[in-house]
């Protein structure tokens, strides 16, 4: 009887996480769209995104805030320390992650613990991760 309860909890947790992510993306999209054109362009330029990139990124889960830290943990690198020491590099990796077409594959590999062994096959941040792993 325990297995069905665990599965139900996992499904429920996943649904809640996706809903929260959707709400956060919607809030972010509205905030940015609420800016005047000049301010919106300046903000997006600061993070290295075009209007099209931003619209694309907002259609999908916030991979950069959910998947990227998990990817770091998977390969044995402390994400918080990296983020504090290398803000520009982190921003670049986050932008790459936000626009990545392999988010589902990444998520699946993180969940089944095979990410560390397979990320080089599909992750557009693989070179950065390899560099971080080699100095860690």
């Amino acid at each position: 009887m325990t297995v069905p309860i665990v599965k139900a909890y996992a499904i429920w947790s996943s649904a809640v996480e996706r809903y929260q992510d959707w709400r956060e993306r919607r809030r972010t999209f509205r905030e940015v769209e609420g800016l005047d054109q000049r301010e919106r362009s300046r903000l997006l330029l600061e993070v290295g995104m075009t209007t099209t990139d931003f619209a694309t990124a907002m259609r999908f889960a916030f991979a950069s805030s959910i998947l990227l830290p998990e990817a770091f943990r998977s390969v044995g690198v402390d994400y918080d320390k990296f983020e504090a020491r290398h803000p520009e590099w982190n921003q670049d990796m986050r932008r790459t992650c936000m626009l990545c077409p392999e988010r589902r594959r990444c998520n699946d590999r993180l969940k089944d613990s095979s990410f560390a062994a397979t990320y080089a096959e599909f992750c557009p941040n693989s070179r950065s991760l390899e560099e971080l792993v080699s100095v860690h």
Side-chain angles (χ1 to χ4, degrees), residues 43-48 64 68 79 82-83 86-98:
L43 175 70
L44 292 175
L45 182 62
E46 281 181 15
V47 297
S64 67
L68 190 59
Y79 179 76
F82 169 78
E83 183 178 34
H86 306 284
E88 295 85 15
W89 190 3
N90 180 56
Q91 184 178 26
D92 185 53
M93 289 183 75
R94 287 183 63 145
R95 182 177 45 255
T96 299
C97 196
M98 286 175 72

Side-chain angles (χ1 to χ4, degrees), residues 51-101:
T51 304
T52 303
D53 289 342
F54 176 71
T56 299
M58 291 300 103
R59 282 191 217 126
F60 303 103
F62 274 157
S64 67
S65 62
I66 297 168
L67 300 178
L68 190 59
E70 287 299 317
F72 271 67
R73 281 188 276 286
S74 174
V75 297
V77 176
D78 186 315
Y79 179 76
D80 295 328
K81 286 181 183 176
F82 169 78
E83 183 178 34
R85 289 182 186 151
H86 306 284
E88 295 85 15
W89 190 3
N90 180 56
Q91 184 178 26
D92 185 53
M93 289 183 75
R94 287 183 63 145
R95 182 177 45 255
T96 299
C97 196
M98 286 175 72
L99 300 172
C100 178

